[in-house]
C-alpha cells in the first residue's frame, strides 16, 4: 500500500475501532458493577460531545479518500491533533495531577494505542509530499498524443 490516502484511511479505521472497543470495555465494566446507581451518568452535553468526537474519525475515513491533497493533508493534521489532544488530556493528565479517574488499565491500554495512532496520522499527513500526491492520484487511462494507452 503505497498511496498515502489509503494509508491514512486505514489508520483512521484502526483508531476508530480502538475508540469503539475501549468504550465497549468501559461499558462492560459499568454494567458489571455491583451497584448501577454508583455508575457514572453523563449529562446530554457530554454525550453530544462524545458523539461529535466519534464522528471525526468516521468522517476522516471517507475524507482521506475523497479530498484533494491540500485539504486532505490539512484535515488529517487538524483532526489528528484534536483527537490526540482530547484523548491525551482526558486520559493521561488527570492521573498526573492526582485527580481520581475511572480509567481502567484496559482503557489506558487502548488510550495509549489511540494516541500513538493519531500521532502517526499527524506525522504521515505532515510529511506527505504534494509531488507524490499529484502523481499517485492521477490515473492514466489514455494519452493518444503520446501513443500510450492502458486499461
Amino acid at each position: 500500500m503505497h498511496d498515502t490516502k489509503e494509508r491514512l484511511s486505514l489508520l483512521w479505521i484502526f483508531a476508530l475501532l480502538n475508540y469503539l472497543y475501549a468504550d465497549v470495555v468501559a461499558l462492560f465494566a459499568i454494567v458489571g458493577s455491583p451497584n448501577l446507581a454508583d455508575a457514572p451518568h453523563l449529562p446530554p452535553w457530554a454525550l453530544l460531545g462524545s458523539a461529535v468526537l466519534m464522528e471525526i474519525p468516521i468522517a476522516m475515513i471517507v475524507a482521506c479518500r475523497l479530498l484533494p491533497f491540500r485539504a486532505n493533508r490539512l484535515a488529517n493534521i487538524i483532526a489528528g491533533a484534536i483527537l490526540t489532544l482530547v484523548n491525551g488530556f482526558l486520559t493521561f493528565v488527570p492521573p498526573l495531577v492526582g485527580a481520581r479517574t475511572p480509567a481502567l488499565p484496559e482503557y489506558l491500554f487502548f488510550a495509549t494505542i489511540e494516541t500513538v495512532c493519531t500521532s502517526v496520522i499527524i506525522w504521515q499527513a505532515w510529511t506527505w509530499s504534494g509531488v507524490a500526491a499529484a502523481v499517485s492520484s492521477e490515473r492514466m487511462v489514455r494519452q493518444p498524443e503520446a501513443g500510450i494507452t492502458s486499461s
Side-chain angles (χ1 to χ4, degrees):
M1 176 183 2
H2 300 291
D3 186 19
T4 304
K5 287 183 171 191
E6 289 178 24
R7 185 178 303 119
L8 288 169
S9 182
L10 182 63
L11 286 168
W12 280 113
I13 292 169
F14 179 76
L16 176 65
L17 290 173
N18 276 278
Y19 289 131
L20 294 175
Y21 198 73
D23 291 343
V24 167
V25 169
L27 184 60
F28 284 155
I30 290 170
V31 171
S33 66
N35 187 3
L36 284 177
D38 294 337
H41 298 283
L42 297 174
W45 63 265
L47 293 173
L48 176 62
S50 176
V52 169
L53 284 175
M54 282 299 97
E55 188 59 35
I56 293 172
I58 292 169
M60 288 307 299
I61 293 167
V62 176
C64 287
R65 302 276 184 151
L66 300 179
L67 290 176
F69 168 70
R70 285 187 179 198
N72 202 334
R73 184 172 182 259
L74 188 60
N76 275 282
I77 291 169
I78 291 170
I82 289 170
L83 289 174
T84 301
L85 291 172
V86 168
N87 194 29
F89 180 76
L90 294 177
T91 305
F92 303 113
V93 172
L96 292 176
V97 296
R100 184 175 171 267
T101 63
L104 308 168
E106 310 86 48
Y107 195 78
L108 291 174
F109 171 74
F110 281 113
T112 302
I113 291 172
E114 296 157 4
T115 302
V116 168
C117 183
T118 52
S119 298
V120 169
I121 288 170
I122 295 167
W123 178 253
Q124 287 285 312
W126 190 269
T127 59
W128 188 6
S129 169
V131 174
V135 171
S136 66
S137 67
E138 295 296 322
R139 299 197 187 262
M140 182 173 52
V141 177
R142 184 174 176 185
Q143 291 183 342
E145 62 277 354
I148 301 171
T149 59
S150 62
S151 52

